[in-house]
Amino acid sequence: MDIRTQMLEAAEKLLDASPDRDISTRAVCEAVGVGAPMLYRLFGDKNGLLSAVVDHGFDRYLATKRAAEPSADPIADLKNGWDTHIAFAQEHPAVYRLMYSPAFTEIPSAAQEALRLLREVLVRCAAIGRLRVDPDAAAQRVMSANIGVALNMVTQPGVYTDPELSRRVRDAVHDSLLTPENGTEETESSAAPLPTAALQLAALLRTEDTTLGTEETQLLLKWLDGLTRD
């Protein structure tokens, strides 16, 4: 492991152990056995170090998302994505707090990638006729709820003690965005609501090859998006 990575991991451990969620650059240097000039050369200052800790956290978080192979069931993948997000937060509480800190003046680009990967799963849900709302809107709702639950669990563990909290919120959010499975509230022969059918066709047009030309596809997508909004 190189010195830079050692310092990032040392900073994370010190943050986890710190009662006031703060660390000193001296403590980080002492933990790795290097002098302050090394830290300044690699990170510039303390803020640079903390920014690098955030980037390192996002790298590990996104590595699990990128490595996840899509299954045949996008609904199961959606639930698993929520659960792995919560698990990462609980395993790296100090870094997670920094990753989604409102103190940042600029949102890390990795946060946008996380939202994009979630949207891809939701597009797959739409493609099988299970999504009620536009994938972009659904992704924002799911991510907002996921982050909110995770932050509450890692910042106030003495308050949020329900071991089923994450699952309960996850299922409530997903149920508000997904249509019921055939055979539950709807019969297998029942037609999908118009917005759901429009979302499904739009998702298929965006993910599958068709005989339509580019202009025809874009026009059809425009009509379908209009039906979805209506």
Side-chain angles (χ1 to χ4, degrees), residues 29-111:
C29 292
E30 289 177 350
V32 181
V34 299
M38 176 65 75
L39 185 145
Y40 298 138
R41 182 172 66 82
L42 291 174
F43 305 106
D45 55 17
K46 182 178 177 179
N47 287 334
L49 171 64
L50 293 178
S51 293
V53 168
V54 168
D55 291 339
H56 187 56
F58 268 116
D59 284 344
R60 283 176 295 171
Y61 170 72
L62 290 174
T64 63
K65 299 292 184 180
R66 295 167 183 148
E69 291 290 336
S71 74
D73 184 358
I75 307 299
D77 292 346
L78 184 63
K79 291 183 177 181
N80 183 62
W82 177 291
D83 294 341
T84 57
H85 186 117
I86 295 293
F88 180 88
Q90 292 180 314
E91 292 170 8
H92 309 280
V95 169
Y96 187 84
R97 287 194 296 265
L98 285 175
M99 286 167 59
Y100 290 101
S101 170
F104 279 117
T105 57
E106 184 176 345
I107 304 299
S109 60

Side-chain angles (χ1 to χ4, degrees), residues 91-169:
E91 292 170 8
H92 309 280
V95 169
Y96 187 84
R97 287 194 296 265
L98 285 175
M99 286 167 59
Y100 290 101
S101 170
F104 279 117
T105 57
E106 184 176 345
I107 304 299
S109 60
Q112 297 300 314
E113 181 179 353
L115 190 65
R116 179 184 61 77
L117 292 172
L118 170 59
R119 183 187 180 281
E120 289 178 358
V121 178
L122 288 160
V123 168
R124 292 171 52 223
C125 293
I128 62 170
R130 292 293 308 279
L131 195 62
R132 296 181 190 272
V133 302
D134 178 80
D136 288 325
Q140 291 181 30
R141 296 180 199 180
V142 172
M143 185 64 78
S144 296
N146 209 172
I147 293 171
V149 171
L151 282 174
N152 282 331
M153 292 176 69
V154 301
T155 60
Q156 304 178 70
V159 175
Y160 294 89
T161 57
D162 179 4
E164 295 297 310
L165 173 65
S166 176
R167 181 189 63 79
R168 294 181 199 277
V169 177

